[in-house]
Amino acid sequence: MGWLHAKGLDVPEGAADIAVPAGWTAADEPDAAKAVRFLGLSGAQGAAWAVEADELDGEFSRRRWHTRIGLAPAGDGGCILNVQVSHYAVNGFFGYQRNPLPSVPRVVRDILANGKLDVRIGASRVSVEEIYLDADTLKRDFMSSLTDRARCLPIVLMTTDDDGKTPVWDATELASKLVGMATVYVIDMRDGALVQAFRDLLPDRTPAGRYRIGRSAVMVYRPGIDLSGEESLSACTLFTRHRIERYAAGGRDGFINVLMQGLGRGIDARPGDVAGIGDVLWLRSRVESERQGERIERLRSRAKAAAEPVADIDGLRAENARLRADAEAWEEIATDQERSYSDATAKVDELTRTVQRLEGEKRALERKAAQCAAPSDDDGAARVAECLQSIPRDLTDLLKLARSIWPERIVVLPEAMDSAKSYDGNLAEEWDIVRSTATALYGLLFEDDGCEGQVADEFQRRTGYELTFSESSAPGRAPI
């Protein structure tokens, strides 16, 4: 309930149907700044509770956030909590907006902060900190989890350098931001026994050895790893120290944001999951349907039973009262069935809206996939092969090559070409800058590339290079 209290919702423990608090309105009014709805079910047949909240983004006024929380008991005495956080643009908004980075919902963080709870995702216990391995825990915990077919939580394995430093800025901060997204393990490469155990478990010249990493690296192992072959390598992503530093060039959180984008995930609902108001309505209708079925069967049995002969007026009155009671019972059943039908219809409407939204997203993804798969008017590989007659020897050759590959995106001014003649720096870095200009910067300025903030800041975040649209005090020293 801590998340609800933080939202200003004073909800008593065990509450089912709750009046909408001050400052909030009913959830079926999407234009309200804050909308919330509660619904619960309790009884001998089962129990469930759900809340849905819809509110404006605190920073981006054209975005709304919708949070669904469902709670249901588990057979082992615990409970199953489902949390779904989504966002959408407000009605009437036209334009593009960058999707926010995936993160762990605050309600989940509140639960994890309670040290008395044993929180698991599937069979994997959720850890809020990185786990430093030794030779024993490497085999008992890491290897058993790595090859567990029931595992649904990715694993992030980090190795240190010879000085014991991890390749990320702060391993503890990384683990805290990835909590609920992945389990983070660390191998200290200064521990000779641990390194040897790692090699023994994933030996060289075997398929398993392909899954081992060297010093100062990060490997992401998604579920479904089979060490007996190399097919599962497609479920692994390796980040070398150089690659990590490249992502972090634009800021210390650059690499963490890359991991969060890759690990941010949606889990398909399982049959019987309670993840929102619609699920509670559906469960209510099922419980009510079962109860009505039992009542109908009892009434049918009474109607089929042979009536005893009536000898006097009192017997007639009793029989009349019984028939009246049966008629009232049938009428009550009809009313309840109508209410159950309304609950089921509400669930169907919600599912219909979800299907329509997913179909829209699917069509958008199909269009993007078709654009990526379709050959361009001037095939890129053929253009590069045609333009790259020889390896660039200096910056002038490099600029000519870039102008040939991207003739509609790169214009090299005569002043830049003159300045390039005296350049004797790092050609690899200059090529990286030119390529970033033709791809990343062009996408930010002229294409739907998900930029809603400052172009210079986004360019630096993506490429690690600083961008300025004005000439410096010492022009001509660098041609780009």
Side-chain angles (χ1 to χ4, degrees):
M1 294 297 177
W3 178 84
L4 297 174
H5 291 307
K7 293 287 185 182
L9 303 171
D10 188 14
V11 183
E13 298 290 339
D17 295 306
I18 306 171
V20 177
W24 292 72
T25 55
D28 54 359
E29 297 181 19
D31 293 334
K34 295 182 177 182
V36 68
R37 185 183 179 191
F38 305 93
L39 192 62
L41 170 69
S42 61
Q45 298 91 344
W49 185 86
V51 59
E52 294 192 23
D54 195 282
E55 55 188 322
L56 285 171
D57 191 300
E59 298 180 357
F60 187 54
S61 61
R62 296 166 292 179
R63 176 188 293 137
R64 293 187 68 92
W65 290 91
H66 194 86
T67 304
R68 294 180 176 90
I69 302 174
L71 193 65
D76 56 0
C79 66
I80 300 175
L81 177 71
N82 291 294
V83 180
Q84 182 186 49
V85 180
S86 58
H87 61 87
Y88 61 95
V90 299
N91 292 332
F93 168 66
F94 294 91
Y96 304 109
Q97 54 175 310
R98 184 180 64 204
N99 291 331
L101 291 173
S103 61
V104 181
R106 191 184 312 152
V107 59
V108 177
R109 292 187 179 276
D110 290 343
I111 292 172
L112 295 174
N114 187 336
K116 299 179 181 179
L117 299 176
D118 180 18
V119 183
R120 297 173 182 262
I121 296 179
S124 304
R125 179 177 283 107
V126 177
S127 176
V128 297
E129 296 180 346
E130 76 278 25
I131 301 173
Y132 277 83
L133 297 168
D134 56 33
D136 293 331
T137 56
L138 175 68
K139 181 177 182 180
R140 185 183 67 243
D141 298 338
F142 173 76
M143 291 300 296
S144 62
S145 178
L146 178 65
T147 57
D148 186 1
R149 287 291 182 178
R151 174 171 64 91
C152 60
L153 199 62
I155 290 175
V156 174
L157 176 65
M158 273 190 292
T159 55
T160 69
D161 59 14
D162 293 331
D163 296 326
K165 297 180 180 179
T166 59
V168 299
W169 179 275
D170 187 331
T172 301
E173 181 182 358
L174 172 68
S176 67
K177 289 189 174 182
L178 296 183
V179 64
M181 296 184 183
T183 303
V184 180
Y185 292 98
V186 181
I187 292 180
D188 191 338
M189 302 299 281
R190 297 173 300 176
D191 187 339
L194 175 58
V195 173
Q196 186 59 49
F198 193 33
R199 291 174 177 170
D200 293 341
L201 291 170
L202 302 174
D204 292 328
R205 295 186 295 277
T206 67
R210 297 288 306 276
Y211 297 87
R212 197 179 74 238
I213 60 176
R215 283 173 167 75
S216 196
V218 173
M219 178 78 97
V220 178
Y221 302 92
R222 291 180 288 280
I225 300 297
D226 183 3
L227 300 179
S228 63
E230 298 183 358
E231 292 79 8
S232 298
L233 288 173
S234 60
C236 304
T237 304
L238 174 65
F239 297 92
T240 62
R241 185 179 188 89
H242 174 74
R243 188 178 178 187
I244 294 171
E245 290 175 347
R246 173 72 179 277
Y247 285 126
R252 55 173 289 182
D253 290 335
F255 177 62
I256 294 179
N257 291 339
V258 168
L259 284 182
M260 292 172 66
Q261 287 177 333
L263 294 171
R265 60 195 174 86
I267 299 179
D268 293 334
R270 299 170 300 178
D273 275 350
V274 177
I277 297 296
D279 295 312
V280 177
L281 289 172
W282 182 258
L283 189 57
R284 273 186 170 184
S285 66
R286 288 185 55 189
V287 171
E288 185 63 22
S289 178
E290 293 174 1
R291 187 176 70 87
Q292 297 300 340
E294 295 174 356
R295 294 178 62 189
I296 291 173
E297 188 61 32
R298 288 196 300 268
L299 287 171
R300 283 175 176 172
S301 299
R302 289 173 56 181
K304 291 178 180 179
E308 297 180 359
V310 179
D312 53 19
I313 190 64
D314 293 334
L316 289 173
R317 288 174 177 171
E319 180 65 16
N320 185 49
R322 185 183 69 80
L323 293 174
R324 188 185 300 276
D326 288 351
E328 292 175 352
W330 282 110
E331 184 177 355
E332 182 181 351
I333 288 173
T335 302
D336 292 342
Q337 290 284 23
E338 184 178 0
R339 183 170 58 251
S340 298
Y341 175 78
S342 299
D343 290 345
T345 301
K347 176 63 176 178
V348 170
D349 290 342
E350 179 187 353
L351 292 175
T352 301
R353 290 192 297 270
T354 301
V355 169
Q356 292 173 344
R357 176 179 59 82
L358 293 176
E359 286 180 345
E361 294 178 1
K362 177 186 175 184
R363 287 192 295 269
L365 291 174
E366 287 176 344
R367 287 194 297 269
K368 290 184 178 180
Q371 292 172 358
C372 294
S376 59
D377 295 337
D378 47 353
D379 183 76
R383 173 176 287 278
V384 172
E386 179 183 354
C387 298
L388 188 59
Q389 299 296 328
S390 62
I391 300 299
R393 295 166 298 176
D394 51 33
L395 187 54
T396 56
D397 288 346
L398 187 149
L399 293 178
K400 292 176 182 178
L401 175 63
R403 183 176 58 188
S404 300
I405 295 176
W406 297 289
E408 297 180 356
R409 299 190 180 192
I410 293 290
V411 175
V412 183
L413 298 178
E415 294 84 352
M417 194 65 73
D418 293 338
S419 176
K421 294 177 181 178
S422 59
Y423 181 79
D424 59 356
N426 188 339
L427 280 182
E429 183 178 21
E430 289 297 325
W431 173 254
D432 200 21
I433 294 174
V434 172
R435 182 187 58 80
S436 299
T437 303
T439 55
L441 183 59
Y442 185 90
L444 291 172
L445 292 176
F446 303 109
E447 295 179 345
D448 172 18
D449 209 7
C451 179
E452 67 183 37
Q454 297 294 326
V455 171
D457 295 339
E458 181 65 14
F459 180 80
Q460 184 172 8
R461 188 187 72 81
R462 297 188 184 187
T463 67
Y465 296 113
E466 184 178 352
L467 173 68
T468 176
F469 292 101
S470 60
E471 200 170 43
S472 65
S473 57
R477 295 185 62 86
I480 302 300

Short mmCIF file of all heavy atoms in Angstrom, two decimals, residues 151 154-155 211 219-226 230-237:
data_model
loop_
_atom_site.label_atom_id
_atom_site.label_comp_id
_atom_site.label_asym_id
_atom_site.label_seq_id
_atom_site.Cartn_x
_atom_site.Cartn_y
_atom_site.Cartn_z
N ARG A 151 14.05 -20.79 -15.72
CA ARG A 151 14.45 -19.41 -15.44
C ARG A 151 13.79 -18.47 -16.44
O ARG A 151 13.82 -18.70 -17.65
CB ARG A 151 15.97 -19.29 -15.53
CG ARG A 151 16.50 -17.86 -15.39
CD ARG A 151 18.01 -17.84 -15.27
NE ARG A 151 18.68 -18.34 -16.46
CZ ARG A 151 19.06 -17.58 -17.49
NH1 ARG A 151 18.83 -16.28 -17.47
NH2 ARG A 151 19.68 -18.12 -18.53
N PRO A 154 16.69 -12.72 -16.93
CA PRO A 154 18.03 -12.71 -17.52
C PRO A 154 19.12 -12.61 -16.45
O PRO A 154 18.88 -12.18 -15.32
CB PRO A 154 18.02 -11.47 -18.41
CG PRO A 154 16.58 -11.21 -18.69
CD PRO A 154 15.85 -11.62 -17.45
N ILE A 155 20.32 -13.02 -16.82
CA ILE A 155 21.49 -12.94 -15.95
C ILE A 155 22.50 -11.98 -16.57
O ILE A 155 22.76 -12.03 -17.78
CB ILE A 155 22.14 -14.32 -15.76
CG1 ILE A 155 21.24 -15.23 -14.92
CG2 ILE A 155 23.51 -14.21 -15.12
CD1 ILE A 155 21.76 -16.65 -14.79
N TYR A 211 30.65 -19.73 -24.05
CA TYR A 211 29.80 -18.92 -23.18
C TYR A 211 30.60 -18.24 -22.06
O TYR A 211 30.03 -17.56 -21.23
CB TYR A 211 28.69 -19.78 -22.57
CG TYR A 211 27.75 -20.35 -23.59
CD1 TYR A 211 28.03 -21.56 -24.24
CD2 TYR A 211 26.58 -19.69 -23.95
CE1 TYR A 211 27.18 -22.09 -25.20
CE2 TYR A 211 25.72 -20.22 -24.91
CZ TYR A 211 26.03 -21.42 -25.54
OH TYR A 211 25.19 -21.93 -26.47
N MET A 219 28.49 -9.89 -19.83
CA MET A 219 27.71 -10.78 -20.70
C MET A 219 26.28 -10.85 -20.16
O MET A 219 26.06 -11.01 -18.96
CB MET A 219 28.31 -12.17 -20.73
CG MET A 219 27.51 -13.17 -21.57
SD MET A 219 27.79 -12.99 -23.34
CE MET A 219 29.04 -14.29 -23.56
N VAL A 220 25.31 -10.71 -21.06
CA VAL A 220 23.90 -10.88 -20.72
C VAL A 220 23.44 -12.24 -21.23
O VAL A 220 23.55 -12.52 -22.43
CB VAL A 220 23.04 -9.76 -21.34
CG1 VAL A 220 21.57 -9.98 -21.01
CG2 VAL A 220 23.49 -8.40 -20.84
N TYR A 221 22.97 -13.08 -20.31
CA TYR A 221 22.45 -14.40 -20.67
C TYR A 221 20.93 -14.36 -20.52
O TYR A 221 20.42 -14.28 -19.41
CB TYR A 221 23.02 -15.49 -19.75
CG TYR A 221 24.52 -15.62 -19.73
CD1 TYR A 221 25.29 -14.92 -18.80
CD2 TYR A 221 25.18 -16.44 -20.63
CE1 TYR A 221 26.67 -15.04 -18.76
CE2 TYR A 221 26.57 -16.58 -20.60
CZ TYR A 221 27.31 -15.87 -19.66
OH TYR A 221 28.67 -16.00 -19.62
N ARG A 222 20.22 -14.43 -21.63
CA ARG A 222 18.77 -14.50 -21.55
C ARG A 222 18.35 -15.94 -21.25
O ARG A 222 19.16 -16.87 -21.35
CB ARG A 222 18.16 -13.99 -22.86
CG ARG A 222 18.35 -12.48 -23.05
CD ARG A 222 17.75 -11.98 -24.35
NE ARG A 222 18.51 -12.40 -25.50
CZ ARG A 222 19.62 -11.82 -25.94
NH1 ARG A 222 20.12 -10.79 -25.27
NH2 ARG A 222 20.25 -12.24 -27.01
N PRO A 223 17.10 -16.15 -20.87
CA PRO A 223 16.66 -17.52 -20.55
C PRO A 223 16.81 -18.47 -21.73
O PRO A 223 16.81 -18.06 -22.89
CB PRO A 223 15.19 -17.33 -20.16
CG PRO A 223 15.09 -15.91 -19.70
CD PRO A 223 16.05 -15.15 -20.57
N GLY A 224 16.93 -19.78 -21.41
CA GLY A 224 17.00 -20.80 -22.45
C GLY A 224 18.40 -21.15 -22.89
O GLY A 224 18.63 -21.45 -24.07
N ILE A 225 19.39 -21.10 -21.98
CA ILE A 225 20.78 -21.39 -22.32
C ILE A 225 21.02 -22.91 -22.25
O ILE A 225 20.72 -23.56 -21.25
CB ILE A 225 21.75 -20.67 -21.38
CG1 ILE A 225 21.54 -19.15 -21.48
CG2 ILE A 225 23.19 -21.04 -21.70
CD1 ILE A 225 21.84 -18.58 -22.84
N ASP A 226 21.57 -23.45 -23.34
CA ASP A 226 21.95 -24.86 -23.40
C ASP A 226 23.43 -24.92 -23.73
O ASP A 226 23.84 -24.61 -24.86
CB ASP A 226 21.12 -25.59 -24.46
CG ASP A 226 21.43 -27.09 -24.52
OD1 ASP A 226 22.24 -27.56 -23.70
OD2 ASP A 226 20.87 -27.77 -25.39
N GLU A 230 26.03 -24.61 -29.52
CA GLU A 230 26.27 -23.17 -29.72
C GLU A 230 25.01 -22.42 -30.17
O GLU A 230 25.08 -21.23 -30.43
CB GLU A 230 27.38 -22.98 -30.76
CG GLU A 230 28.71 -23.57 -30.31
CD GLU A 230 29.82 -23.29 -31.32
OE1 GLU A 230 29.52 -22.67 -32.37
OE2 GLU A 230 30.97 -23.68 -31.06
N GLU A 231 23.89 -23.15 -30.24
CA GLU A 231 22.66 -22.49 -30.70
C GLU A 231 22.22 -21.39 -29.74
O GLU A 231 21.63 -20.39 -30.15
CB GLU A 231 21.53 -23.52 -30.84
CG GLU A 231 21.74 -24.53 -31.97
CD GLU A 231 22.71 -25.63 -31.58
OE1 GLU A 231 23.09 -25.68 -30.39
OE2 GLU A 231 23.07 -26.43 -32.46
N SER A 232 22.51 -21.56 -28.44
CA SER A 232 22.06 -20.59 -27.44
C SER A 232 22.91 -19.32 -27.43
O SER A 232 22.60 -18.38 -26.68
CB SER A 232 22.07 -21.22 -26.05
OG SER A 232 21.18 -22.31 -25.98
N LEU A 233 23.98 -19.28 -28.22
CA LEU A 233 24.79 -18.06 -28.25
C LEU A 233 23.98 -16.86 -28.73
O LEU A 233 24.31 -15.72 -28.41
CB LEU A 233 26.01 -18.26 -29.16
CG LEU A 233 27.11 -19.18 -28.60
CD1 LEU A 233 28.17 -19.44 -29.67
CD2 LEU A 233 27.74 -18.55 -27.36
N SER A 234 22.93 -17.13 -29.50
CA SER A 234 22.07 -16.02 -29.96
C SER A 234 21.30 -15.40 -28.79
O SER A 234 20.77 -14.29 -28.93
CB SER A 234 21.08 -16.53 -31.02
OG SER A 234 20.26 -17.57 -30.49
N ALA A 235 21.24 -16.10 -27.65
CA ALA A 235 20.57 -15.57 -26.46
C ALA A 235 21.55 -14.87 -25.54
O ALA A 235 21.20 -14.55 -24.40
CB ALA A 235 19.85 -16.69 -25.71
N CYS A 236 22.78 -14.65 -26.00
CA CYS A 236 23.82 -13.99 -25.20
C CYS A 236 24.28 -12.72 -25.91
O CYS A 236 24.35 -12.67 -27.13
CB CYS A 236 25.01 -14.91 -24.97
SG CYS A 236 24.61 -16.50 -24.22
N THR A 237 24.58 -11.71 -25.12
CA THR A 237 25.11 -10.45 -25.66
C THR A 237 26.35 -10.07 -24.87
O THR A 237 26.29 -9.93 -23.64
CB THR A 237 24.08 -9.32 -25.58
OG1 THR A 237 22.88 -9.71 -26.26
CG2 THR A 237 24.63 -8.06 -26.22
#
